[in-house]
Amino acid sequence: MIRIEESEADGVYQLKAELPGVDPDKDVTISLDDGVLTVRAERSEEKKDKQRSEFRYGSFTRSVRLPAGVREEDVTAAYAQGVLTVRAPIGETEKPARKIEITHGS
């Protein structure tokens, strides 16, 4: 499973995901569908020395529901030092209450 950290500050939702040992251009896919952010990653790593070889591989997926009001068209992602950071600005989340008129039947 992909380990994540979520936070919200100054009108921006931020998700950080630990993805060491991956190439973000080839091995990571981020999608956004109906308010759900999904991060998919594949890792394949091989180490060899004179006596033995060792490899790790696998695919990982993590989905989170974004907060209400996130402007999906403004979501950005960056990768540095094994950490993927996704930032999503949050717009208006409060809608004014609407009064419903009551009609009288005959």
Side-chain angles (χ1 to χ4, degrees), residues 9-27:
D10 299 324
V12 176
Y13 166 83
Q14 181 172 275
L15 176 135
K16 290 186 176 184
E18 289 184 343
L19 295 173
V22 300
D23 180 343
D25 296 326
K26 291 191 266 181
D27 302 331

Side-chain angles (χ1 to χ4, degrees), residues 22-79:
V22 300
D23 180 343
D25 296 326
K26 291 191 266 181
D27 302 331
V28 178
T29 304
I30 305 168
S31 61
L32 187 53
D33 184 28
D34 199 24
V36 176
L37 178 76
T38 301
V39 177
R40 289 183 180 84
E42 268 192 56
R43 176 183 10 230
S44 62
E45 183 179 349
E46 186 174 352
K47 294 182 181 180
K48 290 184 180 184
D49 62 25
K50 292 180 181 181
Q51 303 299 321
R52 66 183 192 147
S53 67
E54 186 175 323
F55 62 93
R56 296 186 302 173
Y57 62 91
S59 55
F60 311 92
T61 302
R62 186 75 185 259
S63 295
V64 295
R65 177 155 301 280
L66 296 177
V70 164
R71 296 191 310 261
E72 293 186 8
E73 64 278 1
D74 295 330
V75 174
T76 61
Y79 182 84

